Amino acid sequence: MSLTSNLHRKELEALYRVSEILSRSLDFGQTVRKVLEALEEEAELTRGMVSVLDPESGDLVVHAVHGSDIQENDPVRYQPGEGILGLLLEDKRAIALPIAGKDPRFLNRLGIYDRRLPFIAAPINVGGSLKGVLAVQPDAPDDGMLAERAHFVEMVANLIGRSVRLSLDVEQEKKSIAEERDSLRRTVRHQFGFDNIVGHSPVMRRVFDQIRMVAKWNTTVLIRGETGTGKELIANAIHYNSPRSRGPYVRLNCASLPENLLESELFGHEKGAFTGAVGARKGRFEMADGGTLFLDEIGEISPAFQAKLLRVLQEGEFERVGGGRSLKVDVRVIAATHRNLEAAVDAGDFREDLYYRLNVMPIALPPLRERPEDIPE
């Protein structure tokens, strides 16, 4: 096999591996280190280095060196026109030196290059603008194929540039989404804040103090009050002013579903668990993992279902309907009811152990007729 054919074969294999590496991850630092490793293993291009443009100073800053750690506190820099790398900032064209040490512009600040061997540096362009430099050194003296190798290094630099551009686009998109998310959170927090709950009477001010206090904790909350007193508003305010506000907030009215559907709705089900279960489905507890689950009208659930709910509150785990695998979740439960649970416990309609598990932090909402000073609002 001729020297040219052998070189082409190695370069094709190296390009394939580099393209695979660049397609697997958007982590620029990790990706370029693997690219430099592939260039040495597949194309015999050693001492690979990637420098990136510092947008503030305009300098090239050494970002990654194959087989060597970069000092982040004092990185090596090249100003425009300074050394071979600095020259690329001005000329923006690949440079290939047959013998690196014979060119007075070759600085070798890292001290890793063999001055007797060739040296190749190619610009990394993103959207037509130079964003960095890829530099490598063939591991043998010039064999007359330096121009061919320089062209190959340019192709690799172009691939890196495309990866950088995609990474920048993704980062910009993530930043836009994060800004929109934070804006929505501020809007929701304001919408469900304490200012939107009507009431300045002494009894309501005490309720607000309770809400501010329990919002900081992770305890179960039981909101008591007649229908129409604003129990859901209180639950909203607790979640959106708690450390879990970044997590999901899931609601369920327990009185709106029959027991068989309530179990599936809360715990989810596996495929084939019952007629119509054509696929596995998450329940509300899984959906609320890391956040808050608001269970309205908790006093309406049956004694049989109360036992299942008690296990989740005690152990933080459950099984989907039709499943045998225990699932563990981290969920804060806020419950609400208009019923007299104490009377229900005495009558045997509500489990006493579940009552105490729910009633860790009770909040009682008085009806409007008991606070006439709030009526004008």
Side-chain angles (χ1 to χ4, degrees):
M1 184 181 291
S2 68
L3 180 62
T4 303
S5 299
N6 187 46
L7 181 61
H8 285 166
R9 180 183 58 80
K10 290 181 178 179
E11 289 179 347
L12 281 173
E13 290 174 355
L15 278 177
Y16 178 73
R17 185 171 167 189
V18 166
S19 63
E20 267 196 324
I21 293 169
L22 293 173
S23 66
R24 281 201 298 262
S25 173
L26 292 175
D27 183 336
F28 181 68
Q30 182 185 39
T31 299
V32 294
R33 283 189 288 273
K34 290 183 177 179
V35 167
L36 297 179
E37 180 182 343
L39 291 178
E40 180 175 59
E41 294 176 355
E42 303 291 346
E44 299 174 354
L45 296 172
T46 63
R47 305 173 184 89
M49 176 180 68
V50 169
S51 304
V52 296
L53 183 68
D54 182 347
E56 293 184 2
S57 65
D59 298 345
L60 268 179
V61 181
V62 176
H63 180 77
V65 178
H66 178 51
S68 177
D69 292 330
I70 299 300
Q71 299 296 324
E72 295 184 2
N73 295 332
D74 189 23
V76 175
R77 291 174 172 268
Y78 291 88
Q79 295 179 352
E82 186 179 22
I84 297 297
L85 299 188
L87 186 63
L88 262 75
L89 282 174
E90 296 181 337
D91 200 25
K92 299 180 176 59
R93 289 186 297 179
I95 295 176
L97 306 177
I99 300 176
K102 286 190 174 181
D103 194 309
R105 299 168 300 179
F106 185 72
L107 301 180
N108 194 18
R109 282 183 174 168
L110 293 173
I112 63 172
Y113 294 106
D114 188 331
R115 303 180 69 86
R116 298 166 298 176
L117 296 178
F119 179 81
I120 304 170
I124 298 173
N125 293 308
V126 179
S129 300
L130 188 142
K131 297 295 182 183
V133 171
L134 168 65
V136 294
Q137 190 166 47
D139 65 353
D142 183 21
D143 54 5
M145 302 295 292
L146 185 60
E148 172 68 30
R149 288 189 172 88
H151 181 61
F152 168 72
V153 174
E154 284 186 277
M155 288 192 289
V156 174
N158 286 333
L159 286 176
I160 294 175
R162 291 177 185 177
S163 177
V164 171
R165 183 170 188 173
L166 178 60
S167 179
L168 291 173
D169 289 344
V170 170
E171 283 300 316
Q172 183 59 44
E173 186 68 21
K174 285 170 65 177
K175 183 179 178 182
S176 299
I177 291 173
E179 289 174 352
E180 183 178 358
R181 178 201 63 199
D182 293 341
S183 175
L184 288 171
R185 279 178 177 158
R186 287 191 294 270
T187 301
V188 168
R189 189 173 287 114
H190 173 73
Q191 180 180 350
F192 294 114
F194 306 111
D195 295 338
N196 290 292
I197 304 175
V198 173
H200 286 84
S201 58
V203 66
M204 286 305 294
R205 286 201 295 270
R206 285 196 295 273
V207 168
F208 295 153
D209 290 339
Q210 278 186 295
I211 297 170
R212 289 186 179 93
M213 185 168 54
V214 301
K216 303 173 186 176
W217 304 337
N218 204 31
T219 54
T220 303
V221 179
L222 179 61
I223 305 172
R224 314 283 296 270
E226 297 179 8
T227 302
T229 50
K231 295 188 290 296
E232 187 167 355
L233 288 175
I234 299 299
N236 294 341
I238 291 173
H239 170 74
Y240 287 109
N241 290 276
S242 76
R244 291 178 175 261
S245 61
R246 291 180 175 271
Y249 179 48
V250 181
R251 309 173 182 85
L252 181 66
N253 187 324
C254 299
S256 64
L257 296 171
E259 184 177 334
N260 59 332
L261 291 181
L262 182 61
E263 184 175 0
S264 172
E265 194 66 32
L266 272 180
F267 305 141
H269 61 253
E270 298 292 350
K271 181 180 180 180
F274 50 82
T275 304
V278 295
R281 181 177 178 275
K282 286 185 177 182
R284 301 295 176 100
F285 269 103
E286 281 184 84
M287 294 178 189
D289 192 20
T292 304
L293 176 62
F294 174 50
L295 299 176
D296 200 5
E297 301 298 351
I298 195 70
E300 307 304 315
I301 61 176
S302 69
F305 189 75
Q306 290 169 24
K308 298 173 183 177
L309 181 60
L310 178 63
R311 184 197 170 198
V312 187
L313 296 179
Q314 286 178 329
E315 309 295 337
E317 60 182 35
F318 60 93
E319 289 91 29
R320 288 179 179 173
V321 177
R325 181 170 59 95
S326 290
L327 302 173
K328 203 159 186 68
V329 290
D330 172 26
V331 175
R332 180 190 193 170
V333 173
I334 301 175
T337 183
H338 71 282
R339 291 189 64 189
N340 185 332
L341 291 186
E342 292 79 7
V345 170
D346 292 340
D349 296 330
F350 202 86
R351 292 179 63 111
E352 186 175 14
D353 46 4
L354 178 59
Y355 166 76
Y356 285 115
R357 181 64 64 174
L358 291 171
N359 202 41
V360 177
M361 181 55 66
I363 296 178
L365 295 182
L368 193 56
R369 64 177 179 274
E370 294 181 7
R371 45 189 178 99
E373 55 267 61
D374 290 333
I375 292 176
E377 290 188 58

